[in-house]
Amino acid sequence: MAIESYNPYTGRVLRRFRAFSWAKTERILAQAHRAAAEWRTTSFAHRARLMHRAAALLRERQDELARLMALEMGKPIADGRAEVLKCALTCDYYAEHAEQFLADEEIKTEAQRSFIAHEPIGVVLAVMPWNFPFWQVVRFAAPALMAGNVGLLKHASNVPQCALALEQVLHDAGFPPATFRTLLIGSDLVGRLIEDDRVRAVTLTGSESAGAEVAATAGRAIKKTVLELGGSDAFVVLADADVALAAKTAAQARMINAGQSCIAAKRFIVEKPIIREFIAQMKTHLLALRTGDPLEETTQFGPLARPDLADELTQQVEDSVRQGAKVELYGGQSKPGTALFRPMMLSNVKPGQRAYSEELFGPVALILEAQDADDAIRLANDSRFGLGAAIWTKSAQRGEELARRIEAGAVFVNSLVKSSPEMPFGGVKKSGYGRELSHLGIKEFVNQKSIWVGGEAPVAKKKVE
């Protein structure tokens, strides 16, 4: 089996890699398992020095790493640089805070002393997607390594050069090679890895179906999982919102990574009195965006990562239109089998349409009309997904009150939904479970061990004659 690095802009195969055999994969797993026993004994100070060095290397290599993303999955080079810098920021964040996050927690009991210790569990397998080839991995790897775990990465098969480049960054930073390895394997070997007792936990970012399969396998093997799956994020615009700012941000939110982001806004739920104004302004902003060669600095959105993804998105749109959706902005593919997909807007999106119930992983904005704020919240929650959401209103207090009613892992009031190292990231419902980032993320893959220290045995009193 070959793993191909394919340029979606030119349609050319850049490099082919021979997939690892199970024998080679098992050999790397054995090395990682041995390394875990040593790595867990290192100090936080030592790990932090290496993690800070990794951050520095990411900053030094931002241009070449951004170029790899442009070539392998079509990300505009300016966006790629921003992604690498965000990875560096996160490495520094965990280097600075891991010891504090994992400090013993004193618990008052009848014991002489009792506390919770946070200890590493060993080898963590990460199954990662192509849309943010470095960020998705670093947000698992930085906390895992700082906690004293070791990582094995099974990256998406269309970004092998990105996967190997990140491995090189960590090795050049001084991390022992076996503490982080990239496995160039197909999905056929993932189950065998999960079933192996030397793998102690699994984290996956990807599709609903992939998450269900990994979770089922891990469940049979009695292993912890963290799943970050799909999203169909609601972007709620109330009648009292700043429509101009909301529409401008909406276009930006829909076009993050050419719309290929779990937390890119997808469903724009707008109160009836302002819906036509909102559509007109958002359309203007979408039409102003420039596409082109991802290696050009002026390119604002590139192609989708693969032609088959554009074909599938086209089918979802066509089916939805047949089911009653109305096209507000024409775009899409110029012809089948091409990866470039220009922005589209659909209105009259109703139950029974694919656009209403499915995640559209690309630059298609769905407009839903709400009668009032309560109706907007109902529509926002009428989804099997629950990753992120945004609410736009001039009343911050009202926005906060409504945010508490939305079923999602994160809700942003008058702001673009994004991830950051300080705040936990993850979803509810079919968007997955568990959290990455913040102090919660580093605690997902540690043994939260209760330690109870009893008092000394009482000394017998001497009998007085």
Side-chain angles (χ1 to χ4, degrees):
M1 173 188 168
I3 291 176
E4 289 187 345
S5 176
Y6 169 87
N7 185 327
Y9 181 72
T10 63
R12 295 181 184 143
V13 174
L14 304 170
R15 287 188 66 184
R16 287 188 177 90
F17 298 84
R18 182 187 292 275
F20 293 179
S21 65
W22 172 250
K24 182 173 182 177
T25 302
E26 194 277 333
R27 205 158 49 241
I28 292 170
L29 171 58
Q31 292 165 357
H33 180 63
R34 288 195 295 273
E38 294 183 22
W39 184 245
R40 66 179 291 128
T41 67
T42 58
S43 68
F44 281 108
H46 175 69
R47 296 174 207 161
R49 279 194 299 274
L50 303 187
M51 193 60 72
H52 279 309
R53 178 62 182 148
L57 289 174
L58 286 166
R59 292 186 177 98
E60 287 174 21
R61 299 176 187 178
Q62 60 181 282
D63 288 334
E64 65 183 86
L65 299 180
R67 187 172 187 276
L68 275 182
M69 285 187 272
L71 293 172
E72 284 199 310
M73 53 75 56
K75 189 187 298 288
I77 196 155
D79 293 352
R81 265 192 225 102
E83 179 173 333
V84 176
L85 293 176
K86 187 173 182 177
C87 292
L89 176 75
T90 301
C91 288
D92 281 336
Y93 178 80
Y94 278 107
E96 291 161 10
H97 295 286
E99 185 171 12
Q100 169 200 337
F101 288 159
L102 298 180
D104 293 346
E105 295 179 40
E106 297 286 337
I107 306 293
K108 189 172 182 180
T109 67
E110 63 189 47
Q112 178 177 308
R113 183 180 178 224
S114 48
F115 60 96
I116 301 168
H118 304 282
E119 299 180 350
I121 57 173
V123 178
V124 180
L125 172 65
V127 181
M128 293 288 117
W130 46 261
N131 56 339
F132 292 91
F134 290 93
W135 171 239
Q136 302 278 16
V137 181
V138 165
R139 71 188 197 198
F140 126 78
L145 288 166
M146 283 304 303
N149 294 313
V150 304
L152 293 179
L153 169 64
K154 188 280 181 223
H155 217 324
S157 295
N158 60 326
V159 289
Q161 294 188 82
C162 291
L164 292 169
L166 182 58
E167 176 188 76
Q168 193 64 52
V169 165
L170 292 170
H171 291 178
D172 289 349
F175 286 93
T179 60
F180 185 89
R181 288 296 306 272
T182 283
L183 302 175
L184 295 181
I185 59 175
S187 56
D188 56 313
L189 295 187
V190 171
R192 290 184 72 172
L193 278 170
I194 296 172
E195 289 164 356
D196 193 296
D197 284 344
R198 291 169 291 188
V199 170
R200 298 293 168 83
V202 190
T203 179
L204 175 140
T205 298
S207 68
E208 214 178 315
S209 57
E213 190 172 340
V214 162
T217 305
R220 287 192 297 272
I222 315 177
K223 289 182 185 174
K224 174 76 177 287
T225 52
V226 168
L227 303 181
E228 195 266 281
L229 309 178
S232 189
D233 283 14
F235 188 105
V236 175
V237 186
L238 301 183
D240 71 340
D242 181 335
V243 177
L245 180 58
K248 182 179 180 180
T249 310
Q252 181 187 358
R254 177 63 284 210
M255 294 303 293
I256 294 169
N257 207 36
Q260 302 169 113
S261 168
C262 298
I263 56 168
K266 300 180 177 79
R267 296 180 299 137
F268 298 87
I269 300 167
V270 187
E271 275 199 84
K272 188 174 181 177
I274 59 167
I275 192 165
R276 297 317 306 178
E277 181 187 359
F278 176 85
I279 289 173
Q281 292 200 35
M282 184 178 179
K283 186 187 297 186
T284 298
H285 290 298
L286 289 174
L287 287 169
L289 293 171
R290 295 183 300 274
T291 189
D293 187 340
L295 291 171
E296 295 290 336
E297 295 290 344
T298 56
T299 296
Q300 293 175 295
F301 72 95
L304 300 194
R306 300 192 313 264
D308 63 296
L309 298 171
D311 289 341
E312 169 60 19
L313 184 58
T314 297
Q315 192 63 57
Q316 288 176 298
V317 169
E318 290 177 350
D319 289 348
S320 299
V321 170
R322 274 195 295 271
Q323 293 160 345
K326 177 187 172 186
V327 179
E328 294 281 351
L329 173 62
Y330 288 88
Q333 283 178 299
S334 57
K335 60 181 179 179
T338 57
L340 181 62
F341 197 107
R342 294 183 183 277
M344 296 188 71
M345 294 176 75
L346 301 181
S347 64
N348 198 44
V349 176
K350 305 284 187 184
Q353 301 169 7
R354 293 187 70 184
Y356 188 88
S357 59
E358 298 179 7
E359 177 181 28
L360 273 62
F361 209 63
V364 181
L366 310 174
I367 311 295
L368 288 78
E369 182 178 290
Q371 299 306 309
D372 54 29
D374 287 338
D375 191 39
I377 300 303
R378 178 190 67 80
L379 287 167
N381 289 337
D382 191 23
S383 170
R384 69 177 189 268
F385 299 110
L387 193 55
I391 296 176
W392 290 79
T393 171
K394 283 183 178 168
S395 168
Q397 181 182 347
R398 188 182 187 210
E400 185 177 328
E401 289 168 357
L402 292 174
R404 293 178 182 275
R405 293 171 56 189
I406 289 185
E407 298 165 354
V411 183
F412 283 58
V413 179
N414 296 331
S415 184
L416 182 78
V417 176
K418 61 185 178 182
S419 56
S420 62
E422 301 89 353
M423 293 287 283
F425 183 81
V428 295
K429 299 193 284 190
K430 292 294 191 285
S431 289
Y433 52 74
R435 291 295 179 265
E436 296 178 296
L437 303 175
S438 82
H439 67 98
L440 297 181
I442 199 170
K443 290 177 180 174
E444 286 284 6
F445 297 124
V446 294
N447 174 17
Q448 298 175 19
K449 181 189 287 184
S450 296
I451 297 182
W452 176 289
V453 182
E456 295 178 6
V459 179
K461 289 184 180 178
K462 213 173 179 182
K463 188 176 178 181
V464 179
E465 296 292 338

